[in-house]
């Protein structure tokens, strides 16, 4: 697709945050092996270079197969996975991270997250294992996920390796201003999961109006708003049409009045709220 400034959107022109492509493919609940493999292959061949998975998604092998099938070099792909809450003791981190790498069929990970600060999570013990993996070159970056501002600050202070990103639910109906501010102050990137609020943004009148104004989809408006906030988005998509529609959001440039209108939405919708969430 061609952007408003006439530039064709390609993998090379996709904006990045410290080397991380700011639009990626999420694979949560994409647990049919063939569907997952094909969605990853389709996304990579459409231009995506950022793929996100997790141990808990039970699809790392399928994601790895999608990467293998795509006509894209491994070194051009930013690949992330997450350690589940039952595997966060020091030794379990080391063991299960290697198992994830094996399932994905790669030699290293671009980013490895702590999925939630819960259950077996102990800041010093868990992060020391992540630092070891970083020092060994098995992971390029250390990430945290679903961390509250004070938990981000603790991780930054404790971890010997830099904390690269905090992945949280973030969209126009859950803007997470405090988390974004804390991450910015600590040079931590923000990655948004469920960036379309599982479809709730499609029904939001302000988003609908801005989409109509720009002849764009509501998904594209929401993803463009996140990008304007400096947030990387990893929307889940399985079909080729949705994968392409999300990619085309990179061509949409919102006006300041659009951003202000979205910022003023007085509606909150948290989609992911497990009992072990740190805010509960």
């Amino acid at each position: 697709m061609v952007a408003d400034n006439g530039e064709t959107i390609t993998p090379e022109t996709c904006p990045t945050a410290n080397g991380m492509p700011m639009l990626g493919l999420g694979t949560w609940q994409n647990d049919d092996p063939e569907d997952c493999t094909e969605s990853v292959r389709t996304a990579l061949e459409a231009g995506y270079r950022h793929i996100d998975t997790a141990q808990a998604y039970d699809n790392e092998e399928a994601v790895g197969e999608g990467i293998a099938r795509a006509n894209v070099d491994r070194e051009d792909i930013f690949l992330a996975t997450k350690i589940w809450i039952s595997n966060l003791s020091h030794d379990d981190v080391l063991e299960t991270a290697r198992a994830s790498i094996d399932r994905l069929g790669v030699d290293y990970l671009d980013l490895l997250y702590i999925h939630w600060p819960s259950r077996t999570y102990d800041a010093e013990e868990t992060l020391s294992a992540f630092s070891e993996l970083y020092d060994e070159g098995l992971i390029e970056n250390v990430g945290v996920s679903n961390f509250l501002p004070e938990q981000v600050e603790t991780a930054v202070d404790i971890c010997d390796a830099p904390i690269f990103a905090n992945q949280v639910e973030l969209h126009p109906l859950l803007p997470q201003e405090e988390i974004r501010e804390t991450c910015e102050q600590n040079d931590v990137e923000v990655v948004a999961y469920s960036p379309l609020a599982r479809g709730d943004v499609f029904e939001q009148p302000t988003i609908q109006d801005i989409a109509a104004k720009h002849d764009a989809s509501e998904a594209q408006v929401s993803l463009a708003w996140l990008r304007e906030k400096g947030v990387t988005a990893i929307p889940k998509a399985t079909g080729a049409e949705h994968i392409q529609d999300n990619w085309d959001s990179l061509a949409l440039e919102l006006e300041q009045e659009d951003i202000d209108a979205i910022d003023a939405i007085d509606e909150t919708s948290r989609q992911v709220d497990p009992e072990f969430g740190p805010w509960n």
Side-chain angles (χ1 to χ4, degrees):
M1 186 172 177
V2 178
D4 293 344
N5 61 10
E7 182 182 43
T8 300
I9 302 300
T10 67
E12 292 72 30
T13 58
C14 175
T16 59
N18 280 335
M20 173 176 61
M22 292 187 71
L23 182 66
L25 179 75
T27 62
W28 183 38
Q29 296 182 328
N30 192 354
D31 52 11
D32 179 274
E34 186 59 26
D35 287 349
C36 182
T37 292
E38 278 304 294
S39 65
V40 170
R41 182 194 64 79
T42 298
L44 289 171
E45 294 188 352
Y48 288 71
R49 294 295 181 266
H50 180 174
I51 305 295
D52 181 274
T53 183
Q55 292 175 348
Y57 301 172
D58 197 28
N59 63 9
E60 287 175 322
E61 287 186 5
V63 168
E65 179 62 24
I67 291 171
R69 288 188 193 178
N71 188 28
V72 177
D73 291 341
R74 163 66 184 102
E75 56 266 29
D76 293 332
I77 299 169
F78 189 95
L79 177 60
T81 193
K82 310 176 193 73
I83 302 286
W84 186 237
I85 59 177
S86 58
N87 299 328
L88 292 172
S89 69
H90 179 276
D91 291 349
D92 284 347
V93 168
L94 299 180
E95 180 181 348
T96 66
R98 288 179 169 86
S100 287
I101 290 171
D102 288 344
R103 283 191 294 270
L104 287 159
V106 296
D107 296 325
Y108 68 96
L109 297 167
D110 297 272
L111 177 57
L112 182 65
Y113 292 99
I114 297 166
H115 205 152
W116 294 85
S118 184
R119 301 283 166 83
T120 58
Y121 174 68
D122 174 88
E124 292 193 4
E125 183 178 350
T126 303
L127 288 165
S128 69
F130 272 69
S131 294
E132 286 183 38
L133 293 168
Y134 177 84
D135 289 341
E136 289 179 37
L138 290 176
I139 65 174
E140 295 286 330
N141 295 285
V142 174
V144 297
S145 184
N146 298 296
F147 274 44
L148 297 176
E150 58 269 25
Q151 293 171 319
V152 171
E153 292 174 338
T154 297
V156 168
D157 289 342
I158 288 176
C159 193
D160 291 336
I163 301 297
F164 179 82
N166 183 22
Q167 184 179 131
V168 296
E169 180 182 349
L170 205 164
H171 44 73
L173 308 182
L174 192 68
Q176 302 273 34
E177 292 100 332
E178 186 181 0
I179 286 175
R180 286 193 280 122
E181 182 178 344
T182 298
C183 287
E184 183 177 4
Q185 291 170 350
N186 289 277
D187 296 322
V188 175
E189 297 296 335
V190 178
V191 178
Y193 71 75
S194 297
L196 308 178
R198 291 190 180 178
D200 278 7
V201 296
F202 303 157
E203 308 302 323
Q204 216 293 321
T206 299
I207 303 289
Q208 291 175 336
D209 291 345
I210 295 170
K213 169 185 171 182
H214 290 279
D215 191 25
S217 69
E218 289 82 3
Q220 290 171 355
V221 170
S222 298
L223 296 172
W225 174 81
L226 286 165
R227 193 171 66 252
E228 290 287 347
K229 298 297 182 182
V231 174
T232 296
I234 50 166
K236 175 199 169 185
T238 53
E241 183 177 348
H242 287 154
I243 288 170
Q244 187 63 50
D245 186 70
N246 291 341
W247 177 255
D248 289 344
S249 69
L250 295 171
L252 175 60
E253 297 182 11
L254 297 178
E255 299 170 3
Q256 188 59 49
E257 66 178 13
D258 303 326
I259 298 167
D260 293 342
I262 295 172
D263 289 347
I265 292 174
D266 187 19
E267 179 182 346
T268 301
S269 174
R270 183 184 287 277
Q271 299 294 319
V272 181
D273 192 19
E275 53 85 17
F276 54 78
W279 48 84
N280 286 329

